[in-house]
Amino acid sequence: MRLQRSPALAAVLIIITCVCAFYTTAAINIPLEIEQPPTITAQPPSSLIAFPFDESFPMTCEAKGNPRPEFRWTKNGQEFNHSVDPRLMKEENSGTFVIPNNGNLTEYQGTYRCYASNTLGTAVSQEVEFIVSNEPKFPKETLDPVKVDEGQPFILKCDPPTGIPPLQIYWMTINMQHIQQDERVSVGLNGDLYFSHAVEKDSRTDYCCFASFPRIRTIVQKTAMSVHVKPTNAILERRPSLLTPPGVQSEKQLVKGDDLELECIPEGIPTPKVEWVKIGLGLPDGAEVENHGKLLIIPRADQKDSGKYMCKAKNPLGEAVHYFTVTVEEPPEWVSEPQSQLSMIGTDVLIKCSARGTPEPSITWRVNGVPLKDSPAANRRIFDDTIIIRNSKASDSAVYQCEASNRHGSLLSNANIMIRNLPPMILTKDGEGYFAVESRGVTLHCNAFSSPPSTITWSKDDSSESVEGSRFKIHDDGSLEISRAEKSDAGQYTCLAKNTEGSSNIDAMLYVKDATRIVVTPEDQQILKGSEALLSCLAEYDESFSHDFELVWEKDDIEISFNDTVNLRYFVEDSVLHIVNVSHGDQGVYRCVARTPVDQDEASALLMVLDVPDAPENLVLSEHRGRSVKLTWIPGDDHNSSITDFIIEYEENKWEMGKWRELLRVSRNQNSAVLRLHGHVEYRFRVYGVNSVGAGPPSKPTEMYRTPPAAPDKNPENIKIEGHLPHEMDINWEPLLPIEHNGPGLEYKVSYRRQDVEEEWTEHTVKRHSFVVKNTPTFVPYEIKVQAKNNQGWGPEPRIVSGYSGEDFPSTAPDDVAVEVMNSSVVKVTWTPVHKDKLRGHLGGYRINWWRLRSLVDSKKRHGDKHMLTFPGDRNHATVPGLTPFSEYSLIVMTFNGRGNGPGSHPINFKTPEGVPEKNPVFRVTDVQRHSISLTWTPPSEPNGILTGYLLEYQLINGTEEVGALQTIDINNPKTSKWVLRDLEPLSKYKLYLRSCTTKGCGPVVSEECTTDLETTSTLVPSLDLSESASTPAPSTPKPHKTKPTRSSIAPLLFNVSLAASSSFANISWISGGEHAEFYIAYKNKREGHWKISEALNTSLTSHTIDGLEPETEYIVRLIPISRVDNYSIFEDVIMTPGLASVHGGISTQGWFIGLMCAIALLTLIVLIACFVNRNKGGKYSVKEKEDLHPDVESQGMNDDTFCEYSDNDEKPLKGSQHSLSREIKAGDSGDSLVDYGDEDAQFNEDGSFIGEYGPRKEKRVSAEIKAPVQTPA
């Protein structure tokens, strides 16, 4: 029943609404512990289609309530008892039943509704239509052929059967070929096939209409139709008319959200074109025109798309129009949906329900599923869209249904109205514990249900006072929110709920914990593929959660499972995530989550995997232009490192099949290149990218591309003109590569002419890459050019190069050779250069040969080794260093060119002045006593002058930083070779210095160290054979013992210490002095070993064996007293272990080996005799003089012991000396540097000739044989 609203009623309604709002709880969620009417929780959709391929069809109906609801169904408005049908499947305590697809479903087709009821009311579901789909079929029929005159329109009807939408129509032939559609032929929305005018090709017998129903997976075919077009002699043009829609206007209604589709299919000749407009406005945005302009579609139409539309079909003869009036309607939509309410007894209850739609929906009210008019109530009134229950009672509790309907659908809503007075019921569990994180918020819950609503208060720790402060807030749902929690907030909280019907309370415990915080966060990384990535994550958390804390790693929001076999490359160690052998799939965002039961913190990092670029794809060759082609490609993934270059490679199948060579390099912003190619070659191309990581894999090669033959593009390069013989000129060049031939038949044209005279070019054609011009003058200039040609023609014009014909030996020696003595070891040589006409070739430079004739110390003439210096370039002077002072020399000068040396100049003899002596080769201590040291030495091998005597110096060096004064003894007799130093301190260490002297000064120093004895003993040190003839000991001669006296008290207890060495051990023997004492034996590898010390040995023993030595190795052996006073040794010696062959005989003692060596020696002797005879066939003068005058280029090297070796080996006095050694070398003597004399460009040839700047002078070394020691007791 509906009443008209008056102003007075409206005012009353407003007042009642305000009062009800104060006492009413809307949209409530009543706990099931309280009695309440049913509430529908699950219901079926508005329609349920029974598809044949589905197994069953559930009719869902679920509800909650207290008492538990009972269910019933209606079908088509009549009671439907689903429990008595054995074919239906039911669920206990549920209204849901299932219709199985195992029989005839047609009997279940209909409209269903579910009712859920208990003692407090009934809830109703929305209606559901169960639709049983029948298989769509075209009727079996015989269709007459369609006969039409050419130029006339016609229509082929489809008339598809009804079925489950959507419906799709296809026109095809029997062979499943689509009928071609265009402006003349098209399919309409109704499925018919329209022909604007017939043409002869339209004649066929197999026009078939196919109707497709995708939702039921069915396609059906109409009987094939036949069309016969009768040709006419003349086809008349005509103005357009519309085949569909008929008339000039029509109406179109659709539901909001559906697609608006308007269609105009015209006929006429020529075929008309269709235009669309919306009257008064342009077509809406998103409007689409399809089917060759005949169909206008506006997707998802709404109210603004309503209006008037026009289609216009035009051709040159006229036009036809049609108007559409479009109305967009809407199904019902809630404006105010009724809400469930809990109200107190005695209050007024308002239930509002309103909806909108087009057309306007009608509103139907029900209570407990019964129409409102069939369930009257005295205190219930309806005002338009609102029900008012005045002075409500508990018996007014019910379920009200409001249904809004129009022709496009309906809406149904249930509103549970409960009229009750209830004391507070707290639904939150008592004694609940809450964990808060310091400085963060926490909420304590207290969900109370009551009628009227309760007042909620919170107190702490049994306090009667409510919690207060800006950090505490009580919400409408009763929960207590504490912001920025502090440690002092921890404790017991009490929630009290109170209303007019009573009160209730619960307790809650609050614990405040330290916040979880990540202190070391993972960092973004760029890492190479295949390497190991390390992501660190270290967190701090409350110590009470030590057993509940977890550190979780996620990749792209998915947790990493470390127990998964897929993630074997992932593991965590010491809070660091390791990713081994990183691959592309490992790239992503990694998140570290530190989690406790109360909070968590997280940090993330981006891991980018760097790799070489992927291979480019889709290589295409285009723009083929003979010897050029355009190559395009699509770049591959750069894997986070920008591509810097693309390398284009080629492979040709004629010369180097299977070998790829670089053709072109292009920048990263190019994906194409024009390739310039050689002729007469079949190419394949490929491309690869390069980035900062490296070069990526190449692409797949292109197809073969063959270039046509062409003339050569270039001529030979690097043309060389050489003259190996005086009257010939050799011309050589680098040949063209095979791929540069550009075609078959490659040859070279060699052209040459004299440069210094007027003459024509002489030409020769050759196939090789060299040519010899014979009978040329010696060393004259020529111009040469080489041009390539093949069967296609000549290469470009060649460039001209210049060169000379063959050289000959220089014909003249330098003149005016003079020698200026600079000092005792350096002379300056000058000469007049050879005229260029006499060089007969390119000037190479000048060479100086010299040799020592004799030493001026004695008169015996000894021809020394020949030396040579080479000075490149044109010059007239040079400096010869490294001469031996106080000697007589001879030298010659010659020039040379590319052919060789010219004749030598006349020999020039000169003498070098006196210099300082060389170092004494032998300086030894022969005897040590308490107050004296005996010395012996040998004179220098090269005195470099008249020896005047020796300078002997010594000083005390007793192991401290301070040393004694330097004492000097001048020995004026040059024949002296022994000296005894007396009045020395006992048991003291001295350093001794010796130098040889001439009138020019004293030479380099040689030194020794020695310690005087504690008391005079009769122990003898080994004597030395200092003869100079023993400078090179024979291999079998053992090395001398070098005995150092010591101040140890054990020294007199050992006599005749001797060593005998084998390849792997050494035996030390001695004679005991009678008293017993202990000592050690120490030894080490002289070159790189460490000291090894034996166990303590007693002097009562007579020998000891050292094992584990290496063959052919030098060892230092020492005898050390047990006290190791100042690390002095009793005895020291150096031994050499023999090789294995010397111990075991080896092959040298085998008969066959001796015979073989004899045979080799005999053959060598025969060869030497033959060479000697052959060498002496050339002349009767001496070989030595011939070499001096015409030295051989190949033999002009220098001896290793020449002036080329310089070093500064002088030994200087120790720190603390009172004065420097006297008689030093004076300034301007033979020690001067050669740099002072210029000639910085002097150099040695590869045969040992001097090259570059001169170094400091190096003294010659003299060695003396030292015979084995013989010791006798004192």
Side-chain angles (χ1 to χ4, degrees):
M1 183 173 72
R2 183 182 296 272
L3 302 177
Q4 296 296 322
R5 178 182 295 177
S6 66
L9 286 175
V12 172
L13 186 59
I14 293 172
I15 295 173
I16 293 174
T17 302
C18 295
V19 174
C20 292
F22 183 79
Y23 289 104
T24 302
T25 302
I28 58 173
N29 184 18
I30 303 174
L32 280 178
E33 292 84 356
I34 297 174
E35 288 189 350
Q36 58 186 286
T39 300
I40 298 291
T41 57
Q43 56 185 328
S46 60
S47 64
L48 183 61
I49 301 174
F51 293 113
F53 42 80
D54 290 336
E55 294 182 357
S56 59
F57 314 99
M59 302 291 285
T60 305
C61 184
E62 303 292 343
K64 66 177 182 177
N66 185 4
R68 179 176 295 173
E70 295 180 353
F71 299 91
R72 64 184 178 89
W73 286 85
T74 62
K75 176 185 176 184
N76 298 329
Q78 303 295 321
E79 289 292 328
F80 175 72
N81 190 352
H82 63 282
S83 61
V84 300
D85 191 338
R87 290 177 296 171
L88 302 180
M89 296 178 286
K90 280 83 63 178
E91 296 183 14
E92 188 176 355
N93 298 324
S94 171
T96 300
F97 67 92
V98 178
I99 304 173
N101 190 2
N102 57 4
N104 184 12
L105 297 176
T106 306
E107 61 179 293
Y108 294 109
Q109 186 166 287
T111 302
Y112 293 81
R113 176 165 275 170
C114 175
Y115 296 81
S117 304
N118 66 9
T119 56
L120 299 181
T122 301
V124 182
S125 74
Q126 66 181 6
E127 284 189 333
V128 53
E129 183 180 7
F130 183 63
I131 302 171
V132 179
S133 63
N134 296 318
E135 184 179 356
K137 294 181 181 179
F138 279 104
K140 294 182 179 180
E141 55 186 338
T142 301
L143 301 175
D144 295 330
V146 177
K147 297 180 180 179
V148 60
D149 292 334
E150 186 178 9
Q152 295 302 311
F154 68 97
I155 303 172
L156 297 181
K157 293 288 186 178
C158 181
D159 297 326
T162 58
I164 304 299
L167 168 65
Q168 297 172 349
I169 300 296
Y170 304 96
W171 281 88
M172 292 186 287
T173 66
I174 289 295
N175 296 326
M176 305 300 289
Q177 298 295 320
H178 284 273
I179 301 298
Q180 189 68 35
Q181 298 185 44
D182 51 26
E183 292 179 345
R184 187 180 66 87
V185 181
S186 58
V187 177
L189 292 175
N190 61 358
D192 294 346
L193 185 61
Y194 293 86
F195 293 81
S196 176
H197 59 270
V199 295
E200 285 191 48
K201 68 177 183 178
D202 295 333
S203 295
R204 61 185 311 137
T205 61
D206 56 353
Y207 285 95
C208 296
C209 177
F210 291 85
S212 172
F213 300 90
R215 293 189 68 183
I216 60 175
R217 306 172 191 175
T218 300
I219 299 177
V220 293
Q221 175 186 344
K222 186 181 178 76
T223 304
M225 289 173 274
S226 178
V227 174
H228 178 64
V229 178
K230 300 177 183 177
T232 59
N233 294 329
I235 300 176
L236 298 178
E237 294 184 347
R238 62 178 180 274
R239 61 181 297 152
S241 64
L242 295 178
L243 297 176
T244 186
V248 295
Q249 68 178 16
S250 58
E251 293 185 356
K252 175 75 172 181
Q253 294 177 346
L254 73 158
V255 178
K256 177 183 177 181
D258 291 346
D259 292 345
L260 171 62
E261 296 179 330
L262 303 178
E263 179 181 52
C264 283
I265 300 179
E267 62 88 11
I269 301 177
T271 302
K273 296 185 179 298
V274 178
E275 296 176 356
W276 292 91
V277 295
K278 183 178 183 182
I279 305 301
L281 297 171
L283 291 176
D285 294 337
E288 303 170 0
V289 177
E290 296 183 358
N291 199 11
H292 305 283
K294 304 169 193 176
L295 178 63
L296 174 66
I297 300 176
I298 300 176
R300 299 177 298 281
D302 56 18
Q303 294 293 340
K304 71 177 183 300
D305 296 319
S306 298
K308 202 163 192 176
Y309 293 79
M310 179 188 74
C311 74
K312 181 187 294 184
K314 296 195 308 182
N315 73 2
L317 301 182
E319 61 184 35
V321 298
H322 186 88
Y323 296 93
F324 298 89
T325 301
V326 176
T327 303
V328 179
E329 298 186 342
E330 296 182 62
E333 181 181 356
W334 289 120
V335 175
S336 178
E337 184 178 2
Q339 303 292 324
S340 297
Q341 302 176 33
L342 173 63
S343 301
M344 294 185 297
I345 296 173
T347 60
D348 292 344
V349 179
L350 275 70
I351 311 170
K352 185 176 179 62
C353 177
S354 62
R356 61 171 172 261
T358 306
E360 185 178 352
S362 60
I363 301 296
T364 302
W365 286 97
R366 294 185 180 87
V367 57
N368 294 328
V370 177
L372 205 62
K373 63 181 180 179
D374 296 336
S375 180
N379 60 342
R380 185 172 62 213
R381 295 288 185 272
I382 299 178
F383 295 95
D384 194 11
D385 58 359
T386 304
I387 292 179
I388 300 178
I389 304 174
R390 297 181 181 276
N391 193 21
S392 59
K393 305 182 293 296
S395 59
D396 292 328
S397 297
V399 182
Y400 284 78
Q401 289 86 31
C402 176
E403 188 170 20
S405 305
N406 66 10
R407 61 172 169 259
H408 300 298
S410 63
L411 294 174
L412 176 69
S413 179
N414 290 274
N416 289 3
I417 307 301
M418 289 185 62
I419 314 298
R420 298 284 297 275
N421 283 1
L422 298 171
M425 175 186 294
I426 298 179
L427 305 178
T428 304
K429 182 181 177 182
D430 188 17
E432 193 78 26
Y434 296 87
F435 290 92
V437 176
E438 190 174 13
S439 300
R440 299 182 189 175
V442 62
T443 300
L444 282 61
H445 299 288
C446 185
N447 185 9
F449 182 81
S450 65
S451 180
S454 302
T455 301
I456 305 295
T457 59
W458 283 87
S459 60
K460 180 176 182 289
D461 295 334
D462 298 329
S463 173
S464 59
E465 299 295 329
S466 178
V467 292
E468 295 180 350
S470 60
R471 296 188 299 108
F472 298 91
K473 180 180 180 181
I474 300 177
H475 292 276
D476 293 339
D477 62 359
S479 59
L480 172 65
E481 180 183 359
I482 305 174
S483 59
R484 302 185 307 280
E486 301 173 355
K487 287 293 183 74
S488 60
D489 295 332
Q492 179 177 292
Y493 288 79
T494 300
C495 171
L496 176 64
K498 180 187 291 186
N499 70 357
T500 57
E501 304 299 319
S503 65
S504 181
N505 67 280
I506 61 168
D507 292 331
M509 288 299 299
L510 177 63
Y511 306 92
V512 181
K513 302 291 184 180
D514 292 330
T516 302
R517 187 168 59 94
I518 295 178
V519 293
V520 178
T521 61
E523 298 180 352
D524 294 346
Q525 293 187 32
Q526 292 185 340
I527 193 163
L528 291 177
K529 177 188 174 187
S531 57
E532 181 178 6
L534 303 177
L535 297 172
S536 299
C537 182
L538 187 62
E540 295 177 348
Y541 53 92
D542 194 280
E543 60 182 7
S544 63
F545 294 129
S546 58
H547 298 294
D548 298 318
F549 173 78
E550 62 176 345
L551 192 67
V552 177
W553 283 94
E554 298 176 352
K555 177 182 180 293
D556 298 332
D557 299 324
I558 299 176
E559 183 175 342
I560 299 174
S561 174
F562 296 101
N563 295 326
D564 192 347
T565 56
V566 178
N567 297 325
L568 291 178
R569 295 181 297 104
Y570 291 70
F571 66 91
V572 175
E573 185 175 64
D574 296 332
S575 301
V576 177
L577 173 63
H578 296 249
I579 308 174
V580 182
N581 191 20
V582 170
S583 64
H584 295 307
D586 296 323
Q587 179 168 303
V589 177
Y590 287 80
R591 180 179 291 107
C592 166
V593 181
R595 183 180 298 148
T596 66
V598 298
D599 73 331
Q600 68 178 38
D601 192 14
E602 60 183 43
S604 60
L606 174 63
L607 180 66
M608 298 179 66
V609 180
L610 305 180
D611 196 7
V612 297
D614 284 344
E617 300 176 341
N618 297 343
L619 271 66
V620 177
L621 294 176
S622 61
E623 300 181 16
H624 301 242
R625 294 175 182 171
R627 293 174 56 205
S628 75
V629 67
K630 184 177 182 179
L631 175 65
T632 58
W633 62 89
I634 297 176
D637 192 338
D638 64 7
H639 295 302
N640 305 307
S641 177
S642 298
I643 295 175
T644 57
D645 296 285
F646 289 102
I647 311 299
I648 303 173
E649 294 183 320
Y650 71 90
E651 177 202 35
E652 48 85 18
N653 67 347
K654 187 173 183 181
W655 309 105
E656 293 180 310
M657 185 181 299
K659 187 171 185 178
W660 290 89
R661 292 186 176 273
E662 182 176 328
L663 176 63
L664 188 63
R665 182 184 293 258
V666 298
S667 62
R668 63 184 178 185
N669 54 0
Q670 291 183 245
N671 62 349
S672 67
V674 176
L675 309 180
R676 309 296 178 186
L677 307 174
H678 295 289
H680 197 56
V681 178
E682 284 192 359
Y683 286 94
R684 290 199 307 167
F685 306 99
R686 70 183 187 186
V687 184
Y688 65 88
V690 179
N691 61 12
S692 60
V693 180
S699 65
K700 294 180 179 178
T702 64
E703 69 274 10
M704 297 299 296
Y705 179 73
R706 184 178 180 87
T707 57
D713 295 321
K714 58 183 294 189
N715 289 311
E717 298 176 345
N718 294 333
I719 300 174
K720 296 180 181 179
I721 297 95
E722 300 172 338
H724 298 293
L725 296 175
H727 301 291
E728 290 185 357
M729 180 172 62
D730 295 343
I731 305 173
N732 298 277
W733 58 88
E734 285 187 6
L736 297 184
L737 297 175
I739 198 173
E740 295 173 339
H741 290 187
N742 280 355
L746 183 74
E747 293 179 326
Y748 301 101
K749 182 176 71 174
V750 182
S751 305
Y752 58 91
R753 67 183 178 187
R754 289 260 315 253
Q755 192 176 27
D756 54 347
V757 297
E758 291 291 335
E759 67 177 22
E760 295 298 323
W761 289 97
T762 301
E763 298 178 348
H764 296 274
T765 300
V766 296
K767 293 185 177 180
R768 58 185 181 275
H769 53 90
S770 65
F771 182 75
V772 178
V773 182
K774 296 184 179 295
N775 301 320
T776 63
T778 300
F779 198 64
V780 295
Y782 276 84
E783 292 181 336
I784 298 97
K785 59 182 180 179
V786 181
Q787 186 177 18
K789 72 176 289 289
N790 62 14
N791 294 345
Q792 303 298 315
W794 292 96
E797 182 64 26
R799 68 182 182 90
I800 298 174
V801 297
S802 298
Y804 282 82
S805 58
E807 299 178 88
D808 204 348
F809 296 107
S811 60
T812 304
D815 295 328
D816 304 326
V817 178
V819 175
E820 178 185 356
V821 177
M822 309 300 292
N823 58 37
S824 61
S825 62
V826 178
V827 298
K828 182 178 180 181
V829 183
T830 59
W831 62 85
T832 302
V834 175
H835 192 273
K836 65 178 182 179
D837 293 337
K838 304 296 183 179
L839 289 174
R840 300 201 288 181
H842 295 286
L843 173 64
Y846 291 86
R847 290 191 172 110
I848 300 177
N849 282 11
W850 76 94
W851 55 94
R852 186 183 183 193
L853 297 176
R854 65 187 178 91
S855 171
L856 298 179
V857 176
D858 54 44
S859 58
K860 184 178 180 181
K861 194 168 185 178
R862 292 177 296 180
H863 206 295
D865 295 332
K866 182 174 61 178
H867 307 280
M868 182 186 70
L869 272 179
T870 298
F871 300 92
D874 189 10
R875 59 191 301 150
N876 62 357
H877 70 279
T879 301
V880 177
L883 304 178
T884 302
F886 210 52
S887 301
E888 184 178 1
Y889 282 89
S890 182
L891 67 75
I892 62 173
V893 182
M894 68 193 73
T895 187
F896 67 93
N897 59 17
R899 177 74 171 148
N901 293 335
S905 65
H906 184 74
I908 301 294
N909 291 352
F910 62 93
K911 297 177 181 179
T912 56
E914 196 172 6
V916 298
E918 291 185 353
K919 182 187 297 187
N920 296 75
V922 175
F923 179 49
R924 294 289 184 267
V925 176
T926 58
D927 186 43
V928 179
Q929 298 297 328
R930 178 180 175 87
H931 296 289
S932 65
I933 298 175
S934 297
L935 303 172
T936 185
W937 62 85
T938 59
S941 301
E942 286 289 350
N944 294 336
I946 304 299
L947 206 61
T948 61
Y950 301 94
L951 180 65
L952 177 62
E953 297 170 307
Y954 64 96
Q955 62 186 150
L956 186 67
I957 55 168
N958 257 353
T960 62
E961 292 187 2
E962 297 298 328
V963 297
L966 188 67
Q967 306 296 321
T968 303
I969 300 173
D970 281 322
I971 302 172
N972 296 322
N973 184 0
K975 296 183 179 181
T976 303
S977 63
K978 295 181 181 181
W979 199 267
V980 178
L981 298 177
R982 303 184 185 279
D983 299 325
L984 305 179
E985 294 292 330
L987 201 63
S988 298
K989 189 173 184 179
Y990 285 87
K991 187 151 189 176
L992 317 169
Y993 312 93
L994 179 69
R995 294 198 291 171
S996 301
C997 303
T998 64
T999 57
K1000 293 296 184 179
C1002 295
V1005 68
V1006 60
S1007 65
E1008 271 287 337
E1009 291 183 8
C1010 184
T1011 303
T1012 56
D1013 247 338
L1014 181 61
E1015 57 186 27
T1016 302
T1017 67
S1018 58
T1019 303
L1020 296 179
V1021 295
S1023 61
L1024 299 175
D1025 183 354
L1026 300 176
S1027 63
E1028 191 170 341
S1029 62
S1031 60
T1032 306
S1036 60
T1037 304
K1039 288 199 175 279
H1041 294 298
K1042 177 181 174 183
T1043 304
K1044 290 187 178 180
T1046 177
R1047 59 186 175 183
S1048 171
S1049 61
I1050 197 174
L1053 303 180
L1054 294 177
F1055 301 99
N1056 289 355
V1057 180
S1058 62
L1059 284 170
S1062 175
S1063 61
S1064 61
F1065 65 90
N1067 186 269
I1068 306 176
S1069 61
W1070 61 87
I1071 298 174
S1072 174
E1075 297 183 21
H1076 292 176
E1078 289 189 336
F1079 64 97
Y1080 297 108
I1081 294 178
Y1083 63 97
K1084 74 170 184 176
N1085 186 316
K1086 185 177 181 181
R1087 187 171 60 253
E1088 57 185 10
H1090 302 283
W1091 285 105
K1092 297 181 181 180
I1093 301 177
S1094 71
E1095 70 277 7
L1097 302 172
N1098 197 286
T1099 55
S1100 61
L1101 302 174
T1102 57
S1103 65
H1104 178 74
T1105 300
I1106 303 173
D1107 295 319
L1109 305 183
E1110 297 179 4
E1112 296 183 351
T1113 306
E1114 280 190 309
Y1115 286 90
I1116 302 174
V1117 181
R1118 289 181 180 176
L1119 274 62
I1120 304 173
I1122 198 70
S1123 60
R1124 304 190 189 185
V1125 179
D1126 293 335
N1127 285 328
Y1128 281 100
S1129 60
I1130 308 168
F1131 171 88
E1132 179 175 323
D1133 194 6
V1134 177
I1135 62 172
M1136 166 70 84
T1137 56
L1140 293 175
S1142 64
V1143 178
H1144 302 291
I1147 63 172
S1148 61
T1149 60
Q1150 304 297 319
W1152 65 269
F1153 180 80
I1154 295 172
L1156 178 62
M1157 291 299 101
C1158 292
I1160 293 174
L1162 180 60
L1163 289 174
T1164 304
L1165 180 60
I1166 294 172
V1167 171
L1168 290 174
I1169 292 173
C1171 292
F1172 181 82
V1173 172
N1174 185 61
R1175 188 176 180 87
N1176 283 276
K1177 287 181 179 181
K1180 297 180 180 180
Y1181 50 86
S1182 69
V1183 175
K1184 182 62 182 177
E1185 292 175 355
K1186 182 179 179 181
E1187 288 179 352
D1188 292 342
L1189 295 174
H1190 302 283
D1192 183 10
V1193 179
E1194 301 298 328
S1195 61
Q1196 291 177 353
M1198 298 183 64
N1199 192 288
D1200 288 341
D1201 290 330
T1202 64
F1203 56 85
C1204 297
E1205 300 181 8
Y1206 297 97
S1207 64
D1208 186 6
N1209 293 335
D1210 296 350
E1211 299 186 39
K1212 305 295 187 291
L1214 297 176
K1215 173 184 174 183
S1217 299
Q1218 298 302 315
H1219 56 84
S1220 62
L1221 300 177
S1222 61
R1223 290 192 278 184
E1224 298 289 343
I1225 300 176
K1226 299 177 183 179
D1229 286 353
S1230 58
D1232 290 351
S1233 170
L1234 185 61
V1235 177
D1236 299 337
Y1237 303 99
D1239 298 307
E1240 294 85 351
D1241 55 350
Q1243 61 181 355
F1244 284 112
N1245 287 340
E1246 293 180 359
D1247 57 2
S1249 301
F1250 187 74
I1251 298 176
E1253 297 182 358
Y1254 302 107
R1257 180 180 177 187
K1258 182 177 180 181
E1259 302 294 342
K1260 292 186 178 181
R1261 301 173 183 174
V1262 178
S1263 59
E1265 178 182 359
I1266 302 175
K1267 293 185 177 180
V1270 178
Q1271 295 184 347
T1272 58

